[in-house]
Amino acid sequence: QVQVMESGGGLVQAGDSLRLSCAVSGRTSITYAMGWFRQAPGKDREFVAAIWPAGKVFYADSVKGRFIMSRDAAKAAVALQMNVLKTEDTAVYYCAAARGVISPALESSYPYWGQGTHVTVSS
């Protein structure tokens, strides 16, 4: 049973930085494709960033240049470094995992999801 768990959310001010972490437990012998998605109040969940098993990283245009996704293979974990945060980054952030090379921005590509962590950016 594969489980995904996020951590690191919180309340910050606009312009601040925040680092989210996501760990995969269970079958950790596999290097998963990992993705970050977010859902703002009253909006649909949207793609934020993803990393393939081989290390290629993808970003949504809205976060490109501000967010950095990285992998700690030894710990079966990924991180999302969020810099120059804006109020519109306020959302619940979800981490997801999938096996193999997948369409990184599609929710349906990921069978394993975390419960989400709240990020609130105040003005």
Side-chain angles (χ1 to χ4, degrees):
Q1 182 74 13
V2 175
Q3 293 184 320
V4 178
M5 182 172 292
E6 310 94 337
S7 62
L11 171 64
V12 296
Q13 291 188 323
D16 285 352
S17 297
L18 195 64
R19 184 178 179 87
L20 303 183
S21 297
C22 174
V24 176
S25 62
R27 194 173 178 183
T28 57
S29 59
I30 297 172
T31 300
Y32 293 88
M34 304 289 293
W36 286 100
F37 292 78
R38 67 186 181 187
Q39 186 167 21
K43 295 187 177 182
D44 293 334
R45 189 156 59 184
E46 64 176 6
F47 168 74
V48 175
I51 186 167
W52 275 353
K56 186 176 176 62
V57 184
F58 306 84
Y59 297 100
D61 288 343
S62 59
V63 306
K64 200 171 293 182
R66 298 189 299 124
F67 290 12
I68 301 171
M69 185 173 183
S70 60
R71 180 190 297 275
D72 185 338
K75 297 181 179 180
V78 295
L80 185 68
Q81 178 67 39
M82 304 186 294
N83 301 316
V84 195
L85 282 161
K86 305 176 181 179
T87 56
E88 51 264 43
D89 294 319
T90 295
V92 178
Y93 283 71
Y94 297 90
C95 182
R99 297 175 184 175
V101 175
I102 45 92
S103 296
L106 293 181
E107 290 188 44
S108 58
S109 295
Y110 301 88
Y112 310 110
W113 288 81
Q115 295 298 308
T117 185
H118 290 258
V119 173
T120 303
V121 184
S122 64
S123 59

